[in-house]
C-alpha cells in the first residue's frame, strides 16, 4: 500500500513538471526576443546618427567654404566693412566654428556607443548651421542692397559728369554746324535727369545705364568732330607761321650775303641751314592732321628755329662792321686790331695748339681754362667768352677727340680782338660774340686756303685689302690696313678707323662699324694690321671698306679704301 502511494506521488510530481515545461520554454523564448529587439533599435539609431553626421559634415563643408571665399576676397571684405556688416559676418563665422565643435563631440560619443546623446549633438549642430546660413544670406542680401544703392548713386554722378562734359563741348562748339548741334541736342535729351531718376525708381536701372552710355558715345562723337576742325585750323595757322619764318630767314640770309659772307654756310652753322627740309617735314606732319604731332613740332622744332633765328637777327649788326683778316695778320701787329670786330674761320683745335703753325708767344689760355684754339692755317689764336650755343663746345671737343679721322671740325668766330700782357709778352686773343660749327671738314678749308698740306695730298697713303668669307647668313670681312706713308699714322681706335660703307644710289653710306675700345692705335711706315668685321644677312650690293687716320707729326688726315660686292 505504501509502495503504491509513493508511486502515485512520483507520478503527480512528474505530471506537474511536464505541465510546467511549456511555460518555462515560452518564458525563455520571450527573453531572447526582447534582447533581439533592443539590439536592432540600437543599430538603427547608430545608422541614423551616422547618416545625420555625414549630412551635417557636408553642410559644414559648404558653409565653411563659403565663409573662406569671403575671407579671401579683399574687395568683398572692404564692401562689408563699408556697409557696417563686417562684425556681423565675423560673429556668424565664430558661431559656425562653435557648431563644428558639436560635430566633434558627436563623433566622440558615437565611438563610446552613446548614440542617443550623439544624435542630440548632431541635431544641435544642424540647427546652428541653419542659423549661420540664414545669417549669411541676410548679410549678403543687405550688402547687395547697399551695392545697388551705390551703383544708383554712381550712375547719377556719371550722368552729371557727362552733362558737364557735354556743356564743355557745347561751349567749345560755339556756332557749330547743323550736324554737330543735332548730336549735342540728342545727347542732352538722353541725359534728362528727371527721366533717369524715374527709371531708377521703377527698378529699370539697365535702361538708365543704356541711356548714359549712348549719351557718352554722342558726346565723344561731337568732340571728335570739333577736334578735327580745330586741328585743321591749327594746321593752317602753323603753315602761315612757317611762311613767316621762311620770309625772315630769307631776309637774314640776304643781309649776311650783302655783308660779303657765305650766307648758306653761316645759317647752317647756326642751325638754320636746312630749313626747307625741316619745313617740308613739318608740313607733312601737319597735313596728316595729327594734333599730338603738331603740338610736338610747335614745342620742339619751331621753338628751336625761332630761338636760333632771334639770336641770328640780334647778331646781324656785327656783319656790317666785321673785318676778315688772317690770324697771322693779328699776330704780326696785334695793336692795330685791338677792339676791332673780326670774322675768323678755321679748324677747331680745342686746348692743344697745333704743331708747325705759329701762334702767340705765350701758349697758355689768356682768360679762362675754357678758352679754346682756332687755326686758319696761317696761325692759331685763343678764343674766349661769347654767346656760344649750348653743347657747342662738347660737340666740337668730341669731334676732335673721337672723329678726327673724318677731318678736323670747321668753325667760325665773330668777335672782338683783345690784347693782354702776360709775362712780358703781348698776347692777342678773340672775345667771341658768335661761334659757329661750319659744314664740311678741314679738307675743304685747307684746299680753299691753298695749304700745301691739304688732305687730298695725303689720300691713299693707307693700302686697304679685303677678304670676304660667306658662312650661311653670316659674312666675315677681313680687312688688312698697311701704312704706305713716310711717317707714323695714328688711328682713333683699335679697329684702325675701319668703317664699312654701302652704296645706295650714288652715295656711300655707313653700314657697319666694328666694335672697338676708344683707344688710339698706331702703324709705323710699312706696318700692317688686320681687322675682322662680322655682318649678319647684309643685303646684296656694292660695299667698300674705308680706313682713316692722321699723320702723327702734322695731324693731317690720311685715308685708304677697297671696294667689294656681295651677291
Amino acid at each position: 500500500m505504501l509502495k503504491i502511494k509513493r508511486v502515485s506521488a512520483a507520478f503527480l510530481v512528474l505530471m506537474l513538471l511536464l505541465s510546467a515545461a511549456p511555460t518555462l520554454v515560452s518564458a525563455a523564448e520571450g527573453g531572447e526576443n526582447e534582447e533581439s529587439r533592443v539590439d536592432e533599435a540600437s543599430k538603427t539609431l547608430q545608422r541614423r546618427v551616422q547618416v545625420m553626421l555625414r549630412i551635417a559634415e557636408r553642410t559644414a563643408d559648404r558653409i565653411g567654404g563659403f565663409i573662406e571665399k569671403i575671407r579671401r576676397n579683399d574687395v568683398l571684405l572692404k564692401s562689408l566693412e563699408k556697409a557696417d556688416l563686417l562684425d556681423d559676418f565675423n560673429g556668424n563665422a565664430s558661431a559656425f566654428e562653435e557648431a563644428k565643435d558639436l560635430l566633434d563631440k558627436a563623433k566622440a560619443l558615437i565611438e563610446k556607443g552613446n548614440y542617443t546623446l550623439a544624435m542630440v549633438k548632431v541635431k544641435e549642430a544642424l540647427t546652428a548651421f541653419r542659423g549661420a546660413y540664414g545669417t549669411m544670406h541676410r548679410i549678403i542680401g543687405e550688402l547687395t542692397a547697399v551695392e545697388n544703392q551705390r551703383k544708383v548713386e554712381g550712375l547719377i554722378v556719371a550722368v552729371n559728369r557727362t552733362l558737364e562734359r557735354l556743356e564743355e563741348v557745347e561751349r567749345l562748339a560755339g556756332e557749330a554746324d547743323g550736324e554737330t548741334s543735332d548730336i549735342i541736342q540728342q545727347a542732352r535729351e538722353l541725359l534728362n535727369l528727371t527721366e533717369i531718376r524715374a527709371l531708377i525708381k521703377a527698378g529699370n536701372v539697365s535702361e538708365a545705364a543704356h541711356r548714359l552710355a549712348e549719351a557718352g558715345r554722342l558726346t565723344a562723337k561731337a568732340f571728335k568732330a570739333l577736334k578735327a576742325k580745330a586741328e585743321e585750323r591749327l594746321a593752317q595757322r602753323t603753315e602761315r607761321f612757317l611762311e613767316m619764318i621762311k620770309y625772315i630767314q630769307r631776309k637774314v640770309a640776304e643781309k649776311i650775303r650783302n655783308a660779303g659772307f657765305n650766307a648758306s654756310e653761316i645759317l647752317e652753322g647756326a642751325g638754320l641751314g636746312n630749313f626747307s627740309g625741316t619745313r617740308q617735314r613739318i608740313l607733312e606732319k601737319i597735313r596728316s592732321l595729327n594734333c599730338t604731332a603738331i603740338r610736338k613740332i610747335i614745342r620742339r622744332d619751331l621753338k628751336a628755329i625761332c630761338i636760333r633765328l632771334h639770336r641770328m637777327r640780334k647778331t646781324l649788326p656785327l656783319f656790317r662792321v666785321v673785318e676778315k683778316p688772317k690770324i697771322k695778320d693779328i699776330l704780326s701787329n696785334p695793336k692795330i686790331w685791338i677792339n676791332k670786330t673780326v670774322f675768323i674761320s678755321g679748324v677747331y683745335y680745342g686746348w692743344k695748339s697745333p704743331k708747325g703753325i705759329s701762334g702767340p708767344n705765350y701758349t697758355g689760355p689768356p682768360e679762362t681754362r675754357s678758352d679754346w684754339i682756332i687755326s686758319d692755317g696761317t696761325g692759331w689764336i685763343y678764343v674766349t667768352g661769347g654767346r656760344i650755343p649750348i653743347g657747342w663746345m662738347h660737340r666740337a671737343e668730341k669731334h676732335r677727340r673721337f672723329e678726327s679721322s673724318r677731318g678736323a671740325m670747321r668753325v667760325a668766330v665773330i668777335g672782338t680782338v683783345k690784347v693782354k700782357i702776360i709775362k712780358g709778352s703781348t698776347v692777342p686773343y678773340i672775345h667771341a660774340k658768335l661761334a659757329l660749327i661750319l659744314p664740311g671738314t678741314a679738307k675743304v678749308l685747307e684746299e680753299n686756303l691753298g695749304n700745301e698740306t691739304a688732305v687730298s695730298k695725303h689720300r691713299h697713303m693707307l693700302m686697304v685689302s679685303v677678304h670676304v668669307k660667306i658662312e650661311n647668313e653670316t659674312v666675315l670681312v677681313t680687312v688688312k690696313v698697311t701704312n704706305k706713308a713716310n711717317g707714323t699714322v695714328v688711328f682713333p681706335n683699335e679697329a684702325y678707323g675701319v668703317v664699312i660703307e654701302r652704296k645706295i644710289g650714288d652715295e656711300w653710306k655707313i653700314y657697319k662699324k666694328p666694335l672697338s675700345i676708344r683707344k688710339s692705335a698706331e702703324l709705323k711706315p710699312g706696318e700692317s694690321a688686320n681687322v675682322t668685321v662680322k655682318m649678319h644677312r647684309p643685303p646684296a650690293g656694292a660695299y667698300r671698306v674705308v680706313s682713316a687716320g692722321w699723320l702723327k707729326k702734322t695731324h693731317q688726315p690720311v685715308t685708304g679704301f677697297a671696294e667689294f660686292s656681295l651677291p
Side-chain angles (χ1 to χ4, degrees), residues 211-341:
R211 293 184 65 166
L212 173 62
E214 182 64 18
R217 187 187 67 80
L218 290 172
T219 304
K221 185 178 179 180
F223 180 76
K224 187 176 180 180
L226 291 176
K227 182 181 176 184
K229 292 185 178 298
E231 288 177 347
E232 186 177 351
R233 287 195 294 269
L234 179 61
Q236 293 170 355
R237 291 177 62 186
T238 308
E239 286 193 39
R240 289 196 297 270
F241 186 69
L242 282 170
E243 291 299 323
M244 183 180 69
I245 291 177
K246 184 180 179 181
Y247 172 78
I248 295 173
Q249 189 211 29
R250 190 163 56 246
K251 287 295 182 181
V252 169
E254 184 179 340
K255 291 182 179 180
I256 294 173
R257 199 176 296 111
N258 292 339
F261 292 89
N262 186 331
S264 299
E265 193 173 68
I266 297 295
L267 289 176
E268 187 168 344
L272 297 167
N274 190 26
F275 181 71
S276 297
T278 304
R279 177 177 174 274
Q280 186 61 34
R281 177 172 54 83
I282 291 173
L283 287 175
E284 287 175 1
K285 288 187 178 180
I286 288 172
R287 286 162 187 164
S288 69
L289 295 181
N290 186 330
C291 194
T292 303
I294 294 174
R295 284 198 298 267
K296 189 175 181 181
I297 288 169
I298 293 172
R299 292 171 182 170
R300 186 188 62 188
D301 298 349
L302 289 183
K303 182 179 179 181
I305 290 171
C306 289
I307 291 173
R308 293 169 191 162
L309 201 55
H310 176 70
R311 288 175 179 170
M312 183 56 64
R313 290 181 71 184
K314 291 183 69 174
T315 314
L316 283 177
L318 296 175
F319 287 93
R320 291 196 294 268
V321 298
V322 73
E323 297 185 46
K324 295 188 282 186
K326 300 294 183 184
I327 293 178
K328 67 177 182 180
D329 299 332
I330 299 174
L331 295 175
S332 61
N333 195 355
K335 291 183 179 180
I336 66 172
W337 292 98
I338 293 177
N339 294 328
K340 287 187 177 181
T341 302

Side-chain angles (χ1 to χ4, degrees), residues 491-505:
F491 298 90
N493 49 48
E494 291 188 335
Y496 297 93
V498 168
V499 175
I500 295 180
E501 297 178 344
R502 178 174 172 237
K503 194 170 187 179
I504 301 176

Side-chain angles (χ1 to χ4, degrees), residues 285-426:
K285 288 187 178 180
I286 288 172
R287 286 162 187 164
S288 69
L289 295 181
N290 186 330
C291 194
T292 303
I294 294 174
R295 284 198 298 267
K296 189 175 181 181
I297 288 169
I298 293 172
R299 292 171 182 170
R300 186 188 62 188
D301 298 349
L302 289 183
K303 182 179 179 181
I305 290 171
C306 289
I307 291 173
R308 293 169 191 162
L309 201 55
H310 176 70
R311 288 175 179 170
M312 183 56 64
R313 290 181 71 184
K314 291 183 69 174
T315 314
L316 283 177
L318 296 175
F319 287 93
R320 291 196 294 268
V321 298
V322 73
E323 297 185 46
K324 295 188 282 186
K326 300 294 183 184
I327 293 178
K328 67 177 182 180
D329 299 332
I330 299 174
L331 295 175
S332 61
N333 195 355
K335 291 183 179 180
I336 66 172
W337 292 98
I338 293 177
N339 294 328
K340 287 187 177 181
T341 302
V342 297
F343 174 87
I344 301 292
S345 64
V347 175
Y348 172 82
Y349 276 92
W351 299 281
K352 187 176 181 181
S353 59
K355 295 181 180 179
I357 301 177
S358 61
N361 293 329
Y362 178 75
T363 57
E367 290 286 348
T368 69
R369 294 179 63 184
S370 298
D371 299 347
W372 51 277
I373 294 172
I374 184 173
S375 172
D376 64 357
T378 67
W380 64 267
I381 194 170
Y382 268 103
V383 180
T384 186
R387 295 177 181 175
I388 298 177
I390 296 174
W392 185 92
M393 187 71 73
H394 297 288
R395 285 174 55 201
E397 189 60 22
K398 179 182 177 182
H399 184 97
R400 185 185 72 81
R401 291 185 179 184
F402 304 123
E403 302 177 29
S404 55
S405 59
R406 292 163 46 192
M409 178 175 284
R410 296 183 63 218
V411 294
V413 175
I414 296 178
T416 306
V417 177
K418 301 290 182 181
V419 173
K420 198 171 188 178
I421 306 298
I422 304 176
K423 295 183 179 180
S425 299
T426 302

